[in-house]
Amino acid sequence: MNSFKKPYPFHRTLSFRPLLNYLKAHHRVVEGALPCDGFSVENMLATAPELGAPIHDLNLLKKHDPWIRRLIGLIFPPLFWETEPVATMIPLDVKPFLVSPEFRRLFLDKRGHFVRRMNLNAEEFQKGRIIRAYLHILKKFYGISRNIEYPVTWIIDDPVTGLERYFQVHYDFRFVDVHALKGPKVLSEKERETILEHLTEPEVLRELLPPEDFELCGFFLIQASDITQSEVLSVLGRDMIDQESIISKEGFLRLQQRLRTYFQRPELVADLSAIYQDQVLLINSGMELARNCIFADSHHVPLDQFKGTIFEQATLEKRIIRIPNISESSIPDGRKKTFMDMGIHSIMITPLHYKGRSIGTLILGSPKPGDLTPLDALSMTQIQPLFSMAVNKALDDLEHQIQSVIKEKCTAVHPSVEWRFRQAALRHLDNLRHGITSGMEPIVFRDVLPLYGICDIRGSTEERNRAVQEDLKEHLGLALDILTTAHKTKPLLVVKELIAQIEARIQAIRVDLKSGDEIAIVAFLREEVEPLFEHLQAFGPKVFRAIERYRSAVDPKAGTVCRLRKDLEESVALLTGRLAQYLDREEAQLQQLFPHYFERHRTDGLDYVIYVGQSLMEKGHFSPLYLKNLRLWQLKLSAGFARLNASLKKEMKVPLETAHLILIQDAPMSIRFRFDEKRFDVDGTYDVRHEIIKSRLDKAVIKGKDERLTQPGKIAVVYSHPGEGSEIRKHIEFLTSEGYLTGKVENLELENLQGIQGLMALRVEIDLRAAVPEEIGISRM
């Protein structure tokens, strides 16, 4: 009985003869793989001669099942048969004749029919099968050998979780043969040319090579590989390009479903928050989707409510924290009640950062205690940058809308790309004149090369903490002087008690300054000590003068002593201001030589990014020579930064040191102007890697050492490929000969950053003997 259906009139027959012929031709190779129980092809054919002939009655498969399994076992290892999804099929058939248990569980119903969906529609899939059949014919009979790659992905709803899973399908057609039932027809040269021109058009091929004239015999093997996580990551990346995905109810539900698929947990819920100034904005939540806009209807919670909590800990430490059981955790009662009311018993808190700045958290919750494991935390590191970029874009959009209330929408366009905006504006106006309502066309510059550099003030955070500590000690000391002087004049016991309290606080902050100490100390002095001044000043002139010294030292706006903090801020402002002036002057000279996009950011130090490439130029031609010149310029600029820093130390009340870093990337990328954010950003998730590296480089350490890459008085150059390092080494040698750099070049490997591996670095010392930086003199390069 023949059970074949014919969606296309090729004759086809199940046969093991192609496999048997293969075994015969390769008997020496497969001999060692044959079972050791006396199995041989000859024994099999002697016992079951039907397996050597075409099989028209599929009932023979059941009769000779043990032999068939042994044959298939030569192709696919039997040890994996129980765990891997594998099947065998007759050419062009729609139903497999032998399947592994896992294949049956995932892809077949009780009748043995497929229950999967595909990334191709039925017409495309059938077309691919027919083309592949013709390629077998053309190769065997006409010497025309071509390959076809139809990337087929199967999508199923997992029988256990009910969630989507994605599988990449691999086909093995080695054991498919083709017979000519008529002819085969002799093709003229013109007919061969027609076939080659129309290989993807089955109806044209059918006219020249009727399918009824051929028979496909044999079988082929299907193997499916789970690609769920990589596929979900790709889809999430595309979703994140659209900001509505995180701020709209429907979009966030889709993201939540993607996360469930990624982690294969059907009851997983997500909660996304952003940090904006002194507030936490609860953007969206799978537990309570009642709001739909980050800037109009989101929940606003004061940031202070999270101080000292596990949420603040995750943000400050920049690490993912799991809470296996909420009921036994130290989560604030209000937040804990929200989770418990929603049936959430375990959570994973993922901090979101952008360029080293904390911008929010992504929380995943499960109704099962202990459900989220360390492996889930590891998997989350792949998703973390995508949500960070999306939240950052949402916050930028919020800031944009606030600015729009203050002034009319405008944008400062960098002169190097003004021509492109002018083109787009003219086309927009032309459309309006013709009655076509449209927005500005996308402005994208493709195949540009990024140049990134940092001049960072080393230890600024520690200096701030030290300044706060010393200012508080001075503030407390002034109060102690008042009370001690008063107590000598009139020894009141309550004054002695206050003296003891102040001494204890001085000792405590001398050991360690904790979060919240400043607020507590200022509140204590304002509420417990300062109200006594009016009475204590009557104790005598010494007490009166001590109170005057206290009042003159305390800043009226801050309510505390800020002397060292002001010194530090003035020093930071002086240094960063002069560095920015220096950078702007040198970049302006560079801009005259060839156009490039430039932007800088000033915080505790400077960072800048430059984009160069042909697409950025309205006229002329971009040469790789410009790129080499820029990289040499970056090194010389960093040396100038360090020399300027050294010359300014005598002017700074707090002598500050700077560290210098340059990131090299030879891979081109695309940047797109975001009209809603009024700035350029990388275009799509493929180029996000460069942004992720930039945001994490300041924390890079040398592999195998507890030593930061960036060090005062040195330039560190980070790169990914040896070729990039070779070019930079030549530039370093030149600048060393010119007197800008000195000493031996260090070749360094870096510890893996989160989600980034394989970075290398060169580090070299700057010659600071010339304390004031000269003019860069680019034209002399």
Side-chain angles (χ1 to χ4, degrees):
M1 175 183 174
N2 196 327
S3 66
F4 301 161
K5 296 180 181 179
K6 296 184 178 180
Y8 207 75
F10 284 103
H11 296 277
R12 54 258 174 81
T13 304
L14 171 61
S15 173
F16 293 103
R17 178 51 60 185
L19 173 58
L20 299 178
N21 291 341
Y22 183 91
L23 294 175
K24 184 178 180 181
H26 300 83
H27 67 93
R28 291 184 178 179
V29 177
V30 300
E31 191 174 59
L34 291 174
C36 58
D37 58 355
F39 170 81
S40 69
V41 173
E42 291 75 13
N43 290 341
M44 182 194 73
L45 292 177
T47 306
E50 300 97 330
L51 297 182
I55 299 173
H56 301 287
D57 184 357
L58 296 184
N59 290 322
L60 287 174
L61 299 179
K62 294 181 180 178
K63 177 181 177 182
H64 299 299
D65 182 68
W67 287 115
I68 294 171
R69 288 182 178 272
R70 289 188 178 189
L71 281 173
I72 300 303
L74 296 175
I75 308 171
F76 189 79
L79 289 176
F80 296 103
W81 186 258
E82 294 296 323
T83 57
E84 296 295 317
V86 185
T88 54
M89 293 189 68
I90 303 164
L92 290 178
D93 202 11
V94 295
K95 185 177 179 181
F97 65 84
L98 181 65
V99 298
S100 69
E102 184 67 2
F103 193 96
R104 184 180 303 280
R105 184 184 78 84
L106 292 172
F107 305 118
L108 302 181
D109 60 17
K110 293 181 180 179
R111 297 177 299 167
H113 294 141
F114 281 106
V115 291
R116 81 291 189 260
R117 306 183 298 280
M118 289 189 292
N119 62 324
L120 305 174
N121 60 42
E123 182 179 347
E124 290 173 331
F125 183 67
Q126 178 65 2
K127 180 180 178 181
R129 298 169 72 208
I130 296 166
I131 293 171
R132 196 180 295 278
Y134 271 114
L135 290 178
H136 281 292
I137 295 169
L138 293 170
K139 182 176 182 180
K140 180 170 182 178
F141 296 112
Y142 301 102
I144 297 175
S145 181
R146 297 289 187 274
N147 292 323
I148 179 174
E149 291 297 333
Y150 257 62
V152 178
T153 301
W154 287 354
I155 307 164
I156 65 161
D157 296 325
D158 189 276
V160 177
T161 65
L163 295 171
E164 284 186 341
R165 290 177 66 184
Y166 297 81
F167 290 84
Q168 186 75 51
V169 183
H170 306 278
Y171 298 96
D172 186 347
F173 293 100
R174 286 178 296 168
F175 310 113
V176 175
D177 197 2
V178 59
H179 297 154
L181 302 179
K182 295 179 182 179
K185 174 184 177 180
V186 177
L187 295 176
S188 67
E189 193 60 33
K190 183 176 181 180
E191 288 173 326
R192 292 174 67 90
E193 291 177 1
T194 301
I195 287 173
L196 289 172
E197 187 66 27
H198 300 278
L199 275 175
T200 59
E201 301 174 50
E203 291 306 313
V204 176
L205 300 178
R206 179 172 187 167
E207 293 297 321
L208 295 173
L209 298 172
E212 297 87 351
D213 294 351
F214 299 94
E215 178 184 50
L216 296 171
C217 62
F219 68 94
F220 65 93
L221 194 74
I222 299 175
Q223 186 174 0
S225 303
D226 193 328
I227 58 167
T228 301
Q229 283 205 340
S230 61
E231 185 68 19
V232 172
L233 276 176
S234 177
V235 173
L236 273 174
R238 293 195 294 270
D239 287 345
M240 293 300 184
I241 295 175
D242 180 9
Q243 189 174 299
E244 289 296 313
S245 60
I246 68 168
I247 65 176
S248 71
K249 176 180 178 180
E250 296 77 12
F252 196 76
L253 278 176
R254 284 194 299 272
L255 289 181
Q256 180 172 266
Q257 191 61 30
R258 309 263 195 237
L259 292 171
R260 289 174 173 178
T261 301
Y262 182 81
F263 291 101
Q264 285 296 294
R265 284 176 173 78
E267 297 175 314
L268 200 69
V269 293
D271 187 272
L272 185 63
S273 302
I275 300 173
Y276 179 72
Q277 295 183 351
D278 60 348
Q279 297 184 82
V280 173
L281 311 181
L282 305 180
I283 301 175
N284 238 322
S285 173
M287 296 179 291
E288 187 185 351
L289 283 164
R291 48 198 178 274
N292 60 9
C293 181
I294 184 174
F295 48 80
D297 194 31
S298 61
H299 292 184
H300 296 214
V301 180
L303 190 58
D304 287 345
Q305 288 193 13
F306 295 91
K307 279 196 173 295
T309 68
I310 195 77
F311 303 102
E312 184 186 50
Q313 180 185 349
T315 300
L316 293 177
E317 297 179 5
K318 298 183 179 180
R319 67 181 179 93
I320 297 171
I321 294 180
R322 296 177 303 107
I323 301 179
N325 196 328
I326 288 176
S327 62
E328 300 173 0
S329 70
S330 59
I331 294 177
D333 291 340
R335 197 77 168 131
K336 181 185 294 186
K337 185 177 184 302
T338 300
F339 285 128
M340 299 292 285
D341 289 347
M342 296 295 175
I344 303 302
H345 294 281
S346 63
I347 62 173
M348 181 164 63
I349 306 167
T350 302
L352 305 178
H353 296 87
Y354 186 78
K355 294 184 177 179
R357 177 172 55 94
S358 298
I359 60 172
T361 57
L362 172 64
I363 299 174
L364 298 185
S366 170
K368 302 174 184 176
D371 189 33
L372 297 166
T373 69
L375 291 178
D376 295 318
L378 184 63
S379 297
M380 175 54 77
T381 59
Q382 301 298 311
I383 296 175
Q384 191 176 18
L386 298 176
F387 276 91
S388 294
M389 296 291 285
V391 169
N392 182 72
K393 286 179 172 60
L395 287 173
D396 284 349
D397 185 67
L398 169 61
E399 182 64 23
H400 166 70
Q401 295 219 11
I402 292 173
Q403 293 299 323
S404 295
V405 174
I406 300 172
K407 59 183 180 180
E408 291 182 7
K409 182 179 178 182
C410 64
T411 181
V413 178
H414 193 271
S416 65
V417 293
E418 184 179 352
W419 62 272
R420 181 65 186 86
F421 284 82
R422 187 169 59 252
Q423 287 181 352
L426 288 173
R427 291 192 186 101
H428 175 61
L429 293 173
D430 190 57
N431 286 336
L432 292 178
R433 281 194 295 270
H434 288 85
I436 302 172
T437 303
S438 67
M440 291 275 283
E441 64 187 41
I443 295 180
V444 181
F445 294 99
R446 304 195 184 282
D447 296 325
V448 300
L449 290 161
L451 296 102
Y452 179 68
I454 304 173
C455 176
D456 185 51
I457 296 178
R458 174 52 54 89
S460 58
T461 301
E462 291 77 10
E463 282 292 333
R464 278 195 178 84
N465 290 338
R466 187 188 67 81
V468 171
Q469 188 178 34
E470 293 301 318
D471 282 343
L472 288 176
K473 284 163 58 179
E474 181 179 345
H475 193 174
L476 288 167
L478 290 167
L480 181 63
D481 184 46
I482 295 169
L483 295 177
T484 303
T485 305
H487 186 263
K488 288 179 181 178
T489 304
K490 189 176 292 188
L492 297 175
L493 191 59
V494 68
V495 174
K496 187 175 182 180
E497 181 186 30
L498 287 173
I499 291 172
Q501 290 180 28
I502 292 175
E503 289 174 341
R505 289 178 183 269
I506 291 174
Q507 182 60 32
I509 64 172
R510 183 177 286 123
V511 174
D512 183 30
L513 181 65
K514 298 182 179 62
S515 175
D517 279 354
E518 181 181 4
I519 295 174
I521 289 171
V522 172
F524 164 75
L525 293 172
R526 183 176 295 156
E527 296 168 10
E528 302 290 335
V529 178
E530 291 178 4
L532 304 177
F533 288 175
E534 186 174 353
H535 181 74
L536 293 178
Q537 64 186 2
F539 281 23
K542 290 184 177 180
V543 178
F544 181 84
R545 287 194 294 271
I547 293 173
E548 287 298 304
R549 286 195 298 273
Y550 179 100
R551 286 172 173 164
S552 63
V554 172
D555 185 280
K557 291 183 178 179
T560 185
V561 174
C562 296
R563 182 176 58 83
L564 290 180
R565 272 171 284 188
K566 286 182 177 179
D567 290 348
L568 176 62
E569 293 304 325
E570 288 174 6
S571 299
V572 169
L574 172 64
L575 179 56
T576 57
R578 295 285 288 276
L579 289 172
Q581 290 174 7
Y582 177 60
L583 172 59
D584 290 346
R585 184 184 77 231
E586 304 307 326
E587 193 277 329
Q589 294 179 16
L590 187 69
Q591 191 71 238
Q592 294 175 6
L593 292 181
F594 58 91
H596 58 272
Y597 183 84
F598 169 82
E599 63 181 52
R600 67 165 171 83
H601 304 93
R602 175 179 169 182
T603 53
D604 280 0
L606 292 176
D607 69 81
Y608 65 89
V609 63
I610 294 173
Y611 295 112
V612 294
Q614 185 62 51
S615 63
L616 286 164
M617 302 181 71
E618 183 180 15
K619 299 176 182 178
H621 177 69
F622 176 75
S623 168
L625 180 67
Y626 295 148
L627 180 63
K628 291 179 181 294
N629 190 78
L630 259 174
R631 288 177 175 166
L632 185 55
W633 176 84
Q634 281 187 288
L635 286 165
K636 197 172 181 183
L637 180 76
S638 296
F641 280 150
R643 291 177 171 182
L644 179 58
N645 178 196
S647 71
L648 289 173
K649 283 184 179 179
K650 60 181 177 293
E651 299 181 39
M652 292 185 286
K653 295 179 180 178
V654 179
L656 299 171
E657 297 275 6
T658 54
H660 311 276
L661 184 144
I662 296 169
L663 174 61
I664 300 297
Q665 175 176 309
D666 274 340
M669 59 194 297
S670 297
I671 57 173
R672 176 185 295 267
F673 187 79
R674 311 285 180 186
F675 286 98
D676 55 339
E677 301 162 26
K678 298 195 288 281
R679 66 181 180 86
F680 280 97
D681 202 353
V682 294
D683 187 31
T685 56
Y686 179 80
D687 294 324
V688 166
R689 183 177 185 271
H690 182 75
E691 293 297 311
I692 295 173
I693 294 176
K694 284 166 53 180
S695 68
R696 296 175 181 170
L697 264 185
D698 62 328
K699 303 300 181 186
V701 297
I702 299 172
K703 194 169 187 177
K705 298 182 180 180
D706 188 21
E707 178 186 349
R708 285 183 62 175
L709 171 64
T710 54
Q711 295 294 333
K714 295 184 177 183
I715 303 173
V717 184
V718 177
Y719 60 97
S720 300
H721 305 292
E724 298 168 342
S726 298
E727 179 191 340
I728 295 301
R729 180 176 285 277
K730 293 177 184 177
H731 296 334
I732 290 174
E733 290 173 358
F734 169 71
L735 290 179
T736 301
S737 69
E738 291 286 300
Y740 293 95
L741 306 175
T742 184
K744 183 180 178 182
V745 180
E746 297 175 82
N747 288 291
L748 306 171
E749 288 186 50
L750 304 185
E751 291 286 359
N752 294 336
L753 301 173
Q754 192 177 57
I756 303 296
Q757 299 178 351
L759 293 180
M760 297 168 282
L762 298 175
R763 192 168 65 183
V764 63
E765 190 170 355
I766 302 164
D767 190 345
L768 298 177
R769 287 173 294 181
V772 180
E774 61 179 87
E775 294 292 322
I776 287 292
I778 304 171
S779 59
R780 297 198 302 273
M781 290 185 174

